Amino acid sequence: MVSSPRVRNTLTLFSSLDCVVCHRVRLVLAAKGVTYDMVAVDPAKPPDELVEVNPYHSVPTLVERDLVLYSASVVSEYLDERYPHPPLMPVDPLSRARLRLSMLRLEHDWVPQVQAIQAGNKTQSDAARKKLREHLLATLPLFKASKFFLNTEMSLADCAVAPIIWRLPQLGVSLPKDAKAIEDYGARIFRSPGFARSLTAEERAYRDGVA
Ligand SMILES: N[C@@H](CCC(=O)N[C@@H](CS)C(=O)NCC(=O)O)C(=O)O
């Protein structure tokens, strides 16, 4: 949860107000109930304080005293270890490896489509919309198979998947009726108090009144 500006937290998150990757980290923080200060960043104009600490100037970037972390996967895994409750990774190596691989696939295959829809020209965004829809439909059996993504409990993978599902109406990606399992999955996550806390006002507006 983002705290009042007068209270200085030990954690500072440089985050865009509507980026799917930043939302992933905000959801981890919210699921853990961790308070932090958020510095809102326009990725096209990174502020000097971010440029000084992150060679890639990218968001999300987490700062905790002398520690500076970037890349959503690095930040998310650190937060899960630093704040162990509730755990957002299973304990057995096989399940952990599966979830890590699924998050990698998401970063490589899904996130670029989201970003292309938001930033590309019409041809690029139409092609990205089609690809994202194909990825989602190819993954339908996984959404049907368990309550959360590849797991019985909420995990870091859900923190990566749910921000994408949340954005589908805004991205103009519509799914067929037989893909209802994807919207049902989203609804389960969107109902959690952590999800509502993870949203910026800009993101809340994508599905007004839902979280
Ligand atoms: N691989 C990075 C990608 C994050 C990302 O794409 N961030 C965008 C904003 S949505 C950004 O900071 N772009 C500006 C830049 O990379 O210079 C991560 O996981 O954190």
Side-chain angles (χ1 to χ4, degrees):
M1 65 202 74
V2 183
S3 69
S4 129
R6 272 171 298 170
V7 182
R8 194 81 196 144
N9 290 297
T10 55
L11 291 183
T12 300
L13 182 71
F14 289 85
S15 167
S16 145
L17 293 174
D18 58 2
C19 147
V20 74
V21 191
C22 296
H23 190 183
R24 172 179 172 185
V25 170
R26 282 186 266 112
L27 184 49
V28 176
L29 285 158
K32 301 273 181 188
V34 175
T35 55
Y36 61 100
D37 295 318
M38 190 178 96
V39 178
V41 171
D42 172 356
K45 293 183 215 141
D48 290 347
E49 48 183 331
L50 176 61
V51 170
E52 278 160 23
V53 296
N54 174 345
Y56 304 110
H57 312 168
S58 61
V59 286
T61 292
L62 182 79
V63 178
E64 183 181 21
R65 299 193 180 91
D66 292 340
L67 177 71
V68 180
L69 296 175
Y70 33 85
S71 175
S73 54
V74 173
V75 175
S76 302
E77 295 222 14
Y78 170 72
L79 290 170
D80 194 39
E81 291 172 5
R82 170 85 170 78
Y83 302 96
H85 300 290
L88 291 177
M89 281 296 269
V91 288
D92 70 292
L94 187 78
S95 306
R96 291 167 75 85
R98 277 202 183 118
L99 282 181
R100 287 201 182 100
L101 193 62
S102 70
M103 289 187 275
L104 187 81
R105 296 289 307 270
L106 230 73
E107 276 175 38
H108 284 236
D109 299 341
W110 297 26
V111 168
Q113 312 313 328
V114 173
Q115 293 175 331
I117 297 169
Q118 290 171 329
N121 61 31
K122 178 156 168 31
T123 312
Q124 290 163 333
S125 60
D126 282 350
R129 210 170 271 120
K130 184 167 174 286
K131 269 198 200 159
L132 180 59
R133 193 172 187 274
E134 284 166 4
H135 285 310
L136 283 159
L137 295 179
T139 315
L140 187 58
L142 296 186
F143 285 102
K144 287 183 177 164
S146 57
K147 193 169 168 200
F148 295 101
F149 198 76
L150 281 174
N151 209 30
T152 50
E153 304 290 332
M154 182 162 163
S155 80
L156 292 183
D158 298 296
C159 295
V161 175
I164 297 176
I165 309 297
W166 178 258
R167 283 163 171 73
L168 292 181
Q170 186 254 346
L171 296 171
V173 175
S174 55
L175 298 173
K177 280 204 172 61
D178 62 0
K180 188 173 171 294
I182 297 178
E183 278 299 329
D184 290 348
Y185 160 86
R188 276 196 291 280
I189 312 255
F190 305 157
R191 272 197 302 267
S192 72
F195 191 86
R197 283 199 303 267
S198 74
L199 295 167
T200 62
E202 286 75 1
E203 290 164 343
R204 183 165 289 112
Y206 296 160
R207 291 184 186 239
D208 223 5
V210 174

